[in-house]
Structures are given as C-alpha cells and as structure tokens.
C-alpha cells in the first residue's frame, strides 16, 4: 500500500478494530528466540511463527493444533506451575484470555487464544515490563 503507513501502524489499527489481537491459524515455526521470559511455560503443541515489538511490549504469535479449552487449561496450569501469578482469566465459546505476572515480577502480559476451528487455536502473547 502506498498510504505512507508502516506495517506496524496498519497492524495496530487492525488490532484496535478487532480488539482481539492478531489471529494466526497457520505458518512456519520461527527460528531463534521468542523473546518471552526464560521461565515462560512451554505448552505442548504451540508453534510460534512471529515475534515483534510494539512499544515496550513484546508480541509473539502462533497457533496450536489443539482445541481452545484444552490450551486455555494448559496455559493456566503452566503459569501456576512456573510460579506466575494469574491476574485474570476468562474463557468464552471461541476465545479466551489469561493475564499473568512472572514469578520474579519483572514482566506481565496476556495470552489471547482464538478458535480457528475445533482442533486449531490461535495464540497471541503480549509481554511487557511490569509497572
């Protein structure tokens, strides 16, 4: 597009419109670091495809070939097992969120899950320095 807007600006506008973050239902696994905290729980089946910066936040997008509720439960228990505080969690029919603060309290964020279909779920993680 020749509208002079950066990709990041377009993405932020799209995110603001949807209010739900990026939905990623497929892609190739990224190589290298995700940029998430070292003790961030590893959840079976989650494939990360993209990591980016949005101001002070670090955003990681991916998906899993698993159902929404299954993944939601795993993230919640993964955070608890890692000693993270779960600040907020909510699950609805086709989306779910889990907000967390890391064990060392240096960062916090949110995992937003969206159903792609019954057996595939989008994973959108935003991690930022804690206040």
């Amino acid at each position: 597009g020749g509208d002079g807007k950066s990709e990041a600006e377009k993405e932020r506008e799209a995110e603001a419109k949807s209010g739900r973050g990026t939905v990623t239902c497929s892609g190739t696994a990224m190589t290298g670091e995700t940029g998430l905290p070292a003790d961030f729980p590893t959840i079976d089946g989650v494939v990360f495809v993209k990591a980016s910066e949005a101001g002070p936040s670090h955003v990681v997008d991916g998906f899993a070939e698993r159902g929404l509720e299954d993944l939601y439960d795993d993230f919640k228990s993964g955070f608890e097992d890692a000693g993270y505080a779960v600040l907020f969690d909510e699950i609805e029919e086709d989306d779910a969120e889990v907000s967390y603060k890391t064990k060392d309290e240096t960062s916090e964020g949110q995992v937003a899950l969206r159903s792609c279909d019954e057996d595939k779920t989008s994973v959108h993680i935003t991690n930022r320095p804690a206040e």
Side-chain angles (χ1 to χ4, degrees), residues 18-25 62-64 66-68 71 90 92-97 110-117 120-124:
S18 71
R20 297 179 155 222
T22 314
V23 175
T24 306
C25 295
F63 65 93
R66 296 177 54 196
L68 177 77
L71 216 49
E90 176 181 59
E92 292 170 20
E93 191 179 337
D94 60 356
D95 63 69
E97 288 88 32
Q110 183 180 63
V111 176
L113 304 172
R114 306 285 171 255
S115 281
C116 295
D117 59 40
K120 191 179 272 190
T121 305
S122 167
V123 179
H124 178 78

Side-chain angles (χ1 to χ4, degrees), residues 5-125:
K5 289 185 183 170
S6 72
E7 282 303 309
E9 283 174 314
K10 286 181 199 161
E11 241 172 69
R12 275 197 293 276
E13 283 179 8
E15 266 183 48
K17 277 186 199 127
S18 71
R20 297 179 155 222
T22 314
V23 175
T24 306
C25 295
S26 62
T28 306
M30 60 179 278
T31 54
E33 294 297 312
T34 59
L36 293 170
D39 63 349
F40 195 87
T42 302
I43 306 299
D44 280 348
V46 174
V47 176
F48 291 119
V49 299
K50 183 179 163 214
S52 58
E53 303 297 326
S57 296
H58 190 74
V59 179
V60 185
D61 289 302
F63 65 93
E65 306 252 353
R66 296 177 54 196
L68 177 77
E69 196 169 327
D70 208 22
L71 216 49
Y72 169 80
D73 290 341
D74 272 11
F75 270 107
K76 273 184 58 180
S77 60
F79 288 141
E80 287 162 10
D81 293 348
Y84 282 32
V86 172
L87 306 175
F88 169 83
D89 61 274
E90 176 181 59
I91 185 164
E92 292 170 20
E93 191 179 337
D94 60 356
D95 63 69
E97 288 88 32
V98 182
S99 294
Y100 63 86
K101 184 175 262 188
T102 56
K103 185 176 182 177
D104 64 9
E105 298 190 351
T106 60
S107 63
E108 58 190 18
Q110 183 180 63
V111 176
L113 304 172
R114 306 285 171 255
S115 281
C116 295
D117 59 40
E118 272 171 38
D119 302 316
K120 191 179 272 190
T121 305
S122 167
V123 179
H124 178 78
I125 301 171

